[in-house]
Amino acid sequence: MSAASRVYCALVHHPVRDRAGATVTTAVTNLDVHDIARSARTYGLRRYYVVTPIEAQHVLVQRIIEHWTTGAGRKRIPERHVALALCESLPTLELAIADVERREGMRPQLWATAARSGVDRPVTRFDEGRGHLASADHPVLIVFGTGHGLADSVLQVADVLLEPIVGAGDYNHLSVRAAAAIVLDRLLGAGRDPAASH
Amino acid sequence: MSAASRVYCALVHHPVRDRAGATVTTAVTNLDVHDIARSARTYGLRRYYVVTPIEAQHVLVQRIIEHWTTGAGRKRIPERHVALALCESLPTLELAIADVERREGMRPQLWATAARSGVDRPVTRFDEGRGHLASADHPVLIVFGTGHGLADSVLQVADVLLEPIVGAGDYNHLSVRAAAAIVLDRLLGAGRDPAASH
């Protein structure tokens, strides 16, 4: 079983930071559900959890998933159901971890991403993370934060904290949709290794 | 002047393909304007053109830009105006090329991206493109297509056709927001070269 087939991701809406650093709950964005499901499918992830404690948002996520997997959307854009079928919403990150453990028979490593540096712990470079995934004997759950990023309480319990994405300068206000795509490509994309690109 | 400071991008809504391969015009998606502007800013691009022939869509794009650059949004999320300030809408790709030429005193190379292979011309690998950008003595305009991708008429006039993004298998139905982020990261991201990542 390849490493990629044991990678999962979660998009966390609580606990995340607001601009001032306070812990808040963000609202689910429709396109986050789509885009990250499609990226997760493209990079061979096994499951994509939308984590929110708000009950009404589970209904929203479920409606989006159903539209594309069994509803009118499936007819119009059939390849999308393959992506959306990976997705489910859960009220807490702990339940996402438990779901991976149930499926894999083993607790996943928690890999967190953070746009800000300055978190008081060492970070793992993407090339190291990539090498690790290629030979990992355990499942991995990659956690993305909405708002202004994952709360410290998540970063502190993560087994791996990935380095921030660096573009061409100091500005790194990527959307979480873009950041998730880049993280998955850096860790799992075939185009990154010259030897594997053809 | 670094290569990255002479890179531009365009998001094309016409001419693009629909599911059946016919040439159509797609509608502008609000989040495409935001997300790709933020990615363009993160990777040091100089300008981001939203190309659409529909007059009413220029009003929409202008309203989004103004909201974040001079309107209420600037106060709430100040870093976003730095990204949105890169963006403008133009009716044709030719006008985007002309705008780059006016700014740079030199016609840009046109680099196109395509999710599908099978276009009857050689493709350039991302690592080759990355090497080329690092030493280019001309501006480059990277062109992304909405819908089901750029029409053949655009692919045929492109100076460079980048290879499709390969994830972990055959599925590559990425959103254009995710694909654009990955393309910019593969061509310009600092994290890609182990030597440059710290």
Side-chain angles (χ1 to χ4, degrees), chain A residues 30 33-34 59-78 80-82 84-85:
Chain A
N30 186 335
V33 179
H34 285 93
V59 178
L60 167 69
V61 174
Q62 201 48 44
R63 199 176 298 151
I64 295 169
I65 294 170
E66 278 170 11
H67 174 76
W68 294 105
T69 53
T70 60
R74 176 161 183 164
K75 231 179 206 159
R76 196 165 66 80
I77 310 188
R80 199 157 294 180
H81 93 268
V82 183
L84 269 298

Side-chain angles (χ1 to χ4, degrees), chain A residues 4-67:
Chain A
S5 68
R6 304 185 72 192
V7 180
Y8 293 71
C9 75
L11 180 68
V12 171
H13 297 82
H14 177 89
V16 295
R17 292 156 54 96
D18 70 4
R19 165 171 298 279
T23 296
V24 293
T25 301
T26 56
V28 170
T29 299
N30 186 335
L31 275 186
D32 287 351
V33 179
H34 285 93
D35 278 24
I36 297 177
R38 293 163 72 183
S39 296
R41 181 64 188 77
T42 297
Y43 290 94
L45 271 61
R46 186 165 282 192
R47 206 87 188 122
Y48 162 38
Y49 305 101
V50 175
V51 174
T52 170
I54 302 175
E55 186 66 34
Q57 305 257 287
H58 290 270
V59 178
L60 167 69
V61 174
Q62 201 48 44
R63 199 176 298 151
I64 295 169
I65 294 170
E66 278 170 11
H67 174 76

Side-chain angles (χ1 to χ4, degrees), chain A:
Chain A
M1 185 177 293
S2 82
S5 68
R6 304 185 72 192
V7 180
Y8 293 71
C9 75
L11 180 68
V12 171
H13 297 82
H14 177 89
V16 295
R17 292 156 54 96
D18 70 4
R19 165 171 298 279
T23 296
V24 293
T25 301
T26 56
V28 170
T29 299
N30 186 335
L31 275 186
D32 287 351
V33 179
H34 285 93
D35 278 24
I36 297 177
R38 293 163 72 183
S39 296
R41 181 64 188 77
T42 297
Y43 290 94
L45 271 61
R46 186 165 282 192
R47 206 87 188 122
Y48 162 38
Y49 305 101
V50 175
V51 174
T52 170
I54 302 175
E55 186 66 34
Q57 305 257 287
H58 290 270
V59 178
L60 167 69
V61 174
Q62 201 48 44
R63 199 176 298 151
I64 295 169
I65 294 170
E66 278 170 11
H67 174 76
W68 294 105
T69 53
T70 60
R74 176 161 183 164
K75 231 179 206 159
R76 196 165 66 80
I77 310 188
E79 65 272 18
R80 199 157 294 180
H81 93 268
V82 183
L84 269 298
L86 294 180
C87 183
E88 74 183 280
S89 62
L90 289 173
T92 67
L93 183 56
E94 287 66 31
L95 285 171
I97 295 169
D99 190 68
V100 177
E101 186 167 7
R102 185 180 60 74
R103 290 168 180 269
E104 299 288 344
M106 199 187 301
R107 197 174 163 83
Q109 272 198 0
L110 209 62
W111 290 26
T113 56
R116 61 202 162 99
S117 48
V119 178
D120 186 25
R121 51 173 297 188
V123 296
T124 297
R125 292 201 320 270
F126 284 102
D127 58 336
E128 293 171 328
R130 184 177 176 82
H132 186 83
L133 280 188
S135 60
D137 59 358
H138 51 75
V140 167
L141 175 60
I142 304 173
V143 186
F144 303 109
T146 57
H148 286 260
L150 294 165
D152 284 346
S153 60
V154 178
L155 299 184
Q156 280 154 9
V157 298
D159 300 291
V160 164
L161 182 59
L162 289 165
E163 65 177 330
I165 293 169
V166 178
D170 291 338
Y171 186 98
N172 73 338
H173 299 286
L174 292 167
S175 72
V176 71
R177 299 168 289 282
I182 292 165
V183 166
L184 296 183
D185 188 59
R186 287 187 175 195
L187 293 175
L188 297 162
R192 277 196 56 97
D193 297 320
S197 68
H198 280 284

Side-chain angles (χ1 to χ4, degrees), chain B residues 99-117:
Chain B
D99 190 67
V100 177
E101 185 167 7
R102 185 181 61 73
R103 290 168 180 270
E104 299 288 345
M106 199 187 302
R107 197 174 164 82
Q109 271 198 1
L110 209 62
W111 289 25
T113 55
R116 60 202 162 102
S117 49

